Each structure stands twice: as structure tokens, then as C-alpha cells.
Amino acid sequence: QAEQSGFVRQKQGSNIELNFDLDVTPDAEVQLILDETSGGVIRGRGEGNLNISLNSRGDVRMAGNYIRDEGDYLFTLGNILNKRFAVEKGGTVSWNGPIEDASMNLRALYRTKAALSEIFGEEESELKVKLPVECILNLSGRLLNPSVSFDINLPTADERTRELLRVAIDTEEELSRQFLYLLVMNSFYTDPSLYSSGS
């Protein structure tokens, strides 16, 4: 539920200014549309104190921070891919000026299971075991044009297994390839250059 209080101030004829103080609570579901065309939407609940001011000239300004408690992000790639990511608790969206100039700092996860043998083509039994995999999206910068970075984490794996993944995914290009392959196929991409049946 978002509680609002406001006042109207009239200056010099028809100039009117409205000022709203909003106490946003987790009862209210909030949607942030990143891309109206492709459908990139962040949806969920959180809390924050926001101030919105507008006047008869059409100027709208907003100030305050909104802290995410829970929610999801619909990640889209053209008309090819739609995957729902869970937004981690504690992400923020902040305003201090025009309403469209919000800045964000959010982390979202897509969880699946995959085996490292899919990368290396290995026959060793320990690499054929499917492990939990987190595909991580970091969203930062301007809300309407965010900077997006990828990461892949093995939350339950030991350090040796994580190091094998780091060796296999050692460039941004390879990270992007494996990330998107995990989203589409729920498995790692087999890189022929890493395949060696004797190693």
C-alpha cells in the first residue's frame, strides 16, 4: 500500500504545483518497464520514501530510494528468448530529478542445473553430475538504458570445480555464449577447442 499526502500551491494565476510524499510499503506491487517494445519488466515488492512534484508546465520530478524486497525480471532477447529471473533482495532504484532519470543497482538470478562435462566433453563421472547453476544479471546505471553484465556461479560446487569453470570461461565472449546457452538449453555449450578425451 502506498500512502500519499499532498498539497496544492497556486502561484501567479494558473501556475499550480503538486507535491506528494509517498511511503511505499511491501503491500504494493511495483512494475518498472525497461522496454515497452520487447517486454523487459521488473516486477515485485519493496519499500521506500519517495517525493513526487509536478506543475502545470508538465515538469515531473521525483526524489528518494526504493529498495527491492522480492520480485522478478522478465529478460527478453528480441522475439527469441523470454526468461524470468528472480530479483535479489536489497537492490535499489533511486530518483533525484526528472522521473525518467532513475538509476538502478539490481542483481537477478536464473537458476538451472548443468554438468561441466557439457563444456569439456569429459567422460569422468565427477564432471557428469548436474550441479546447481546461477545465471546472474547485474543491472546498473540509468533505468531506461541500463548497463547489463553477466556472470555464472556454481553455488554448491567446491573450489576445484569452480576453477574449472573459470578456466573454461575466461573471456567476455565465452561468458556471453555460455550464459545464453544456459538460458536457452539449460546446459553448457560444448566448446570443441576445450575437448580432449585424454585430459
Side-chain angles (χ1 to χ4, degrees), residues 110-119 126-135 152-157 161 165 178 181-183 185-189:
Y110 174 79
R111 293 180 173 91
T112 186
K113 286 190 173 184
L116 283 186
S117 60
E118 294 160 350
I119 297 180
E126 63 179 295
L127 294 180
K128 294 176 87 173
V129 175
K130 287 196 171 188
L131 299 172
V133 178
E134 294 176 339
C135 299
I152 298 172
N153 183 38
L154 304 175
T156 63
T161 306
L165 182 63
Q178 293 292 355
Y181 205 79
L182 282 164
L183 295 188
M185 304 299 293
N186 287 302
S187 68
F188 287 106
Y189 169 75

Side-chain angles (χ1 to χ4, degrees), residues 15-166:
N15 288 337
I16 296 175
E17 293 186 8
L18 299 176
N19 191 55
F20 298 92
D21 290 314
L22 304 179
D23 179 21
V24 184
T25 69
D27 299 314
E29 182 179 273
V30 175
Q31 290 192 20
L32 302 170
I33 300 173
L34 302 183
D35 189 335
E36 292 183 0
T37 304
S38 63
V41 177
I42 298 172
R43 183 182 62 188
R45 302 179 187 277
E47 55 190 320
N49 295 307
L50 304 174
N51 174 268
I52 302 174
S53 63
L54 57 134
N55 58 37
S56 55
R57 296 185 303 275
D59 300 325
V60 181
R61 299 182 68 81
M62 193 161 167
N65 297 319
Y66 177 70
I67 302 172
R68 303 292 292 194
D69 187 38
E70 57 87 22
D72 57 57
Y73 168 47
L74 181 62
F75 174 75
T76 60
L77 189 61
N79 294 321
I80 303 169
L81 182 65
N82 289 287
K83 288 290 179 178
R84 200 165 293 280
F85 282 67
V87 177
E88 283 196 328
K89 183 175 183 176
T92 60
V93 183
S94 303
W95 287 267
N96 189 21
I99 196 167
E100 66 274 11
D101 283 345
S103 62
M104 65 190 302
N105 188 2
L106 300 174
R107 192 169 182 257
L109 306 179
Y110 174 79
R111 293 180 173 91
T112 186
K113 286 190 173 184
L116 283 186
S117 60
E118 294 160 350
I119 297 180
F120 297 99
E122 294 284 356
E123 296 301 321
E124 295 179 35
S125 60
E126 63 179 295
L127 294 180
K128 294 176 87 173
V129 175
K130 287 196 171 188
L131 299 172
V133 178
E134 294 176 339
C135 299
I136 303 168
L137 273 177
N138 295 299
L139 303 163
S140 60
R142 293 190 62 206
L143 180 66
L144 298 183
N145 187 25
S147 173
V148 180
S149 64
F150 301 144
D151 201 1
I152 298 172
N153 183 38
L154 304 175
T156 63
D158 57 30
E159 189 53 40
R160 176 182 174 274
T161 306
R162 291 180 182 178
E163 181 61 27
L164 282 173
L165 182 63
R166 282 193 289 269

Side-chain angles (χ1 to χ4, degrees), residues 175-195:
L175 175 59
S176 297
R177 177 187 295 123
Q178 293 292 355
F179 186 94
L180 293 173
Y181 205 79
L182 282 164
L183 295 188
V184 175
M185 304 299 293
N186 287 302
S187 68
F188 287 106
Y189 169 75
T190 302
D191 188 344
S193 68
L194 293 174
Y195 180 82

